Amino acid sequence: MSSDTEDSSSDSSSPGEEQEESLGSQIVIQLRRSVFDRKDFLPDGCIETLITTCAVIKELGFTQEDMKKEKSSSAKLVEFILNEGRKLFAIMLISHFKGEDLRKGMTQFRRNTLGDAFLPITEENESKVPFFNPPKKPWDRQSIRTFCNEQWAFLVPVFSDEYLNLQLHTNEILPFICQGNGVRSGAFSEVHHVTVHPSHHKNPFDGKRANLAVKEIKQVHTEDEAKLRELKSEWEREVKAYIDTSRFRHPNIIEFIAAVTRGNSKRYLLFRWADGGNLREFWQSNQKPQLSVSLVRDVVMQLRGLADALDKLHGFGGGQGSYRHGDIKPENILRVRTKSVAPSELDVGILKIADMGLAKHHTIVTEFRPPTSMRYTTYRYEPPEVIPGVSGVSANSGRSRRQDIWSVGCVALEFIIWLLYGAGALDEFNDKYMISEMGEPSPYFEIEGKGNSRRAKVHPAVDEIMDALSRDQECRVGEKTALRDLLRIVKTKLLVVSLGAATIIDGDGSVNPPHLSTIPAGSRASSRDLRLALDEIIDKGDKNERYWYSGRTRSYSQRLPRIRSQGSNSLAPDTVFE
């Protein structure tokens, strides 16, 4: 046994001389930590720079004489490692295989034609590795277990447009190297803010690093096989919808990165992280916006973008295989910052539709949760036709795509209130006038009558606030302003109960030219109609800058006009929304 002194002298090196790291140590140095899984992984591309011809020959202990013979076992082994087994070789190195054991172990993989493509080695395919069952030297149970545990560091997914639906093993590591503070938790999911390692995202938004929102769907604990199959089917349907709509590459639809399934139960949806939060948060963080040409123009431009995005969704597949969002509300409209602005200006940013409605998925999940007062959809923004058996909508309203248009009308009206009077006035309107006697949020419509005589109509408070807004100096009769025209669109095209003749199929497909209206006058507009109407506003603004904003001074203390209606209970809080 060597003494401590002998050990010390044998490990020492002369001054200024650095001990060369082994290849295994070089690999370990390059490992990065996944903050999401708390495990280490080797970034994509590193293995090619580490596992080179010279490094492999040196690590295997071969000489130049060994390599001169083209068909020698040494040359064949090096060729196999470089062409088919770089990951296998790296895994063996960090599993502490060296010398003869390393050479023999890699030779076993080569002779059995088991390369990197065979990975991962799991319980399902381990029987196909003959030298694992039973273990043959240099393998034993411990080294096999170490190898199988270490392999996951080298099998990390790369996100790209080519693979939008990833089926991963339970142990596969997600390459998230930074995580934002806090997790947003809802009834059905948790949202994490993460940064993907740049080598693992082929299309980062800022050219360097991609900040993502990871929506982790909460697991369902049930032994009901039929319900689990239904849940899986709905998940697959929703993933298909996200994949389909991602092909639009529309600037006003939040970018979809991938759907990830790990094992049998963990599911994630990955999207671009919206650094500006959602529209509701934008309003609340800017309590008293300073009305200006640029602000009004930016708002109208973004509303036009949202209308165009809905037109693409509603017209997908020529209108026959189209998509309806089903839950448009300020919380589901995200904001991406676009510029640094002066303190006196606001960056509206790019508004993006998000949460493409896992409505059916969430309906099934709800069956397995305790009773709760939370609803998936926010029925304040839902249209009258969601109430079954209500007349005044259409003879056969069904689930029209123009449900989204009513919801956009609600959001647009709130936008106008915020622009003219601020976030406090908007809160006052919703909290004081759009609340039932039971204290529940009221939708922007109400039901009058009973039984078969029930009819839907615009909520009186909504009608009154639109009338009050029309007397504001920016919207009153005789003024030629963008906000006056926007308010007119909300009143006459969006918050309209009647759907007219077109109901289930709204004619948003490719039948009519994109510059023509598709819906009868007096009926709720289609997404195309809305886009065309907003295009007219933009055209007027391009010709006359004062059209965007009159320039009249507004009092900072200007308050929401007083209206009579308050606290209707025409729609009971326990009304069922199908």
Side-chain angles (χ1 to χ4, degrees):
M1 182 175 180
S2 301
S3 66
D4 291 342
T5 304
E6 291 172 333
D7 286 340
S8 176
S9 67
S10 65
D11 291 341
S12 64
S13 56
S14 58
E17 180 183 343
E18 292 186 6
Q19 184 176 352
E20 185 177 358
E21 296 281 4
S22 67
L23 183 54
S25 295
Q26 292 178 48
I27 292 172
V28 170
I29 290 171
Q30 295 297 321
L31 294 178
R32 294 296 304 272
R33 190 74 168 173
S34 167
V35 296
F36 200 76
D37 296 310
R38 292 182 172 80
K39 294 179 182 178
D40 294 333
F41 68 94
L42 186 70
D44 188 61
C46 287
I47 203 163
E48 286 75 17
T49 61
L50 291 168
I51 310 298
T52 62
T53 301
C54 291
V56 171
I57 292 173
K58 181 178 179 181
E59 204 67 32
L60 291 173
F62 292 155
T63 65
Q64 292 301 320
E65 292 296 322
D66 294 327
M67 300 302 298
K68 284 180 181 179
K69 300 177 183 179
E70 288 187 13
K71 295 185 180 180
S72 69
S73 59
S74 301
K76 288 180 179 179
L77 182 58
V78 172
E79 182 182 10
F80 168 75
I81 292 171
L82 295 174
N83 294 335
E84 301 178 54
R86 273 189 166 100
K87 291 181 180 179
L88 289 169
F89 190 61
I91 298 167
M92 291 198 71
L93 287 174
I94 66 170
S95 298
H96 307 294
F97 282 85
K98 296 180 180 179
E100 180 62 27
D101 286 348
L102 178 62
R103 291 191 293 272
K104 190 169 183 178
M106 285 305 304
T107 299
Q108 289 170 323
F109 281 113
R110 183 184 71 81
R111 288 178 176 171
N112 288 276
T113 62
L114 299 174
D116 290 347
F118 185 75
L119 297 171
I121 298 175
T122 63
E123 292 180 357
E124 286 75 22
N125 65 358
E126 188 177 316
S127 60
K128 297 179 181 178
V129 184
F131 46 92
F132 277 14
N133 291 284
K136 297 179 182 178
K137 289 186 176 181
W139 301 94
D140 56 27
R141 293 295 178 192
Q142 181 177 346
S143 60
I144 291 172
R145 181 176 181 181
T146 300
F147 180 95
C148 290
N149 288 336
E150 297 289 357
Q151 67 181 329
W152 302 110
F154 304 88
L155 304 173
V156 181
V158 176
F159 303 114
S160 73
D161 294 340
E162 297 177 24
Y163 305 102
L164 298 177
N165 189 8
L166 302 178
Q167 309 291 322
L168 306 183
H169 188 277
T170 303
N171 293 329
E172 285 192 64
I173 300 168
L174 295 175
F176 304 147
I177 55 174
C178 295
Q179 187 163 2
N181 295 328
V183 175
R184 295 189 178 187
S185 184
F188 308 105
S189 64
E190 291 183 344
V191 178
H192 308 260
H193 175 200
V194 303
T195 300
V196 184
H197 190 282
S199 297
H200 288 263
H201 189 201
K202 295 303 183 185
N203 307 104
F205 307 113
D206 60 5
K208 297 179 181 179
R209 304 170 76 184
N211 290 315
L212 302 187
V214 178
K215 177 175 283 190
E216 181 176 2
I217 308 301
K218 292 184 177 179
Q219 296 183 45
V220 172
H221 302 286
T222 179
E223 296 181 359
D224 189 327
E225 293 295 332
K227 286 296 182 184
L228 287 175
R229 284 194 299 270
E230 186 180 1
L231 188 60
K232 181 180 179 182
S233 175
E234 288 303 323
W235 163 261
E236 292 170 352
R237 181 182 64 82
E238 294 297 337
V239 169
K240 181 182 182 301
Y242 280 119
I243 292 174
D244 284 345
T245 55
S246 71
R247 306 301 184 194
F248 300 152
R249 297 184 180 277
H250 197 286
N252 296 98
I253 298 176
I254 196 70
E255 290 85 344
F256 173 68
I257 308 303
V260 176
T261 302
R262 282 207 291 190
N264 295 322
S265 57
K266 288 191 175 182
R267 296 188 175 102
Y268 310 86
L269 294 169
L270 277 57
F271 302 93
R272 177 179 186 165
W273 177 259
D275 58 359
N278 63 47
L279 182 55
R280 178 78 68 198
E281 291 168 339
F282 175 65
W283 289 338
Q284 292 298 325
S285 62
N286 296 280
Q287 287 285 315
K288 279 286 187 179
Q290 184 70 43
L291 212 58
S292 66
V293 167
S294 61
L295 178 58
V296 176
R297 180 174 53 216
D298 288 351
V299 167
V300 173
M301 292 291 289
Q302 290 309 308
L303 287 174
R304 191 269 179 201
L306 296 175
D308 188 61
L310 287 175
D311 189 36
K312 296 295 188 296
L313 293 174
H314 294 172
F316 181 79
Q320 300 305 308
S322 63
Y323 290 105
R324 175 176 58 85
H325 186 284
D327 195 23
I328 296 288
K329 57 184 178 181
E331 289 77 7
N332 283 344
I333 298 174
L334 303 182
R335 172 175 163 265
V336 173
R337 294 187 177 98
T338 56
K339 58 187 176 182
S340 298
V341 297
S344 60
E345 297 179 336
L346 285 180
D347 176 22
V348 176
I350 301 176
L351 300 182
K352 295 176 180 281
I353 296 172
D355 260 358
M356 284 286 296
L358 284 169
K360 179 68 173 176
H361 174 89
H362 289 157
T363 299
I364 299 170
V365 172
T366 302
E367 296 181 23
F368 303 107
R369 299 196 182 281
T372 174
S373 60
M374 296 185 67
R375 297 176 184 267
Y376 168 57
T377 52
T378 304
Y379 69 81
R380 167 164 286 162
Y381 301 92
E382 292 228 325
E385 57 267 32
V386 301
I387 307 296
V390 173
S391 61
V393 181
S394 71
N396 182 21
S397 60
R399 280 289 183 172
S400 166
R401 286 164 289 193
R402 282 182 286 156
Q403 290 187 15
D404 288 337
I405 301 306
W406 175 279
S407 302
V408 171
C410 299
V411 173
L413 179 59
E414 291 190 338
F415 232 138
I416 295 171
I417 294 172
W418 172 79
L419 281 168
L420 294 176
Y421 303 106
L426 178 56
D427 290 341
E428 180 186 355
F429 174 67
N430 281 323
D431 296 342
K432 183 177 180 180
Y433 299 107
M434 300 305 300
I435 293 293
S436 73
E437 291 180 353
M438 300 296 293
E440 294 285 331
S442 172
Y444 277 34
F445 66 90
E446 71 173 17
I447 307 299
E448 59 182 3
K450 296 181 179 181
N452 296 330
S453 300
R454 294 195 305 163
R455 294 182 60 86
K457 67 175 186 177
V458 175
H459 195 289
V462 175
D463 267 336
E464 287 187 42
I465 194 63
M466 288 192 289
D467 288 342
L469 292 172
S470 68
R471 294 189 292 273
D472 186 274
Q473 63 185 29
E474 284 298 308
C475 304
R476 62 195 175 196
V477 175
E479 294 297 329
K480 295 181 179 180
T481 65
L483 287 181
R484 172 174 168 75
D485 285 345
L486 180 58
L487 180 62
R488 176 181 52 80
I489 290 170
V490 172
K491 185 177 180 65
T492 63
K493 292 180 178 289
L494 308 186
L495 294 182
V496 177
V497 171
S498 174
L499 293 174
T503 55
I504 304 300
I505 299 176
D506 290 327
D508 291 37
S510 58
V511 177
N512 294 297
H515 61 282
L516 295 180
S517 178
T518 60
I519 302 298
S523 302
R524 190 185 311 159
S526 69
S527 50
R528 177 179 298 176
D529 290 323
L530 174 57
R531 188 197 68 208
L532 292 172
L534 292 171
D535 280 340
E536 290 181 8
I537 291 180
I538 294 168
D539 287 342
K540 291 179 183 178
D542 288 342
K543 296 173 183 176
N544 178 14
E545 190 173 79
R546 285 185 63 85
Y547 170 75
W548 291 115
Y549 171 48
S550 67
R552 292 189 180 91
T553 302
R554 297 186 66 84
S555 170
Y556 186 79
S557 61
Q558 205 155 2
R559 300 186 63 182
L560 183 75
R562 186 180 299 276
I563 60 179
R564 295 187 303 275
S565 298
Q566 184 171 348
S568 170
N569 65 346
S570 299
L571 184 64
D574 59 350
T575 297
V576 176
F577 287 81
E578 295 184 342

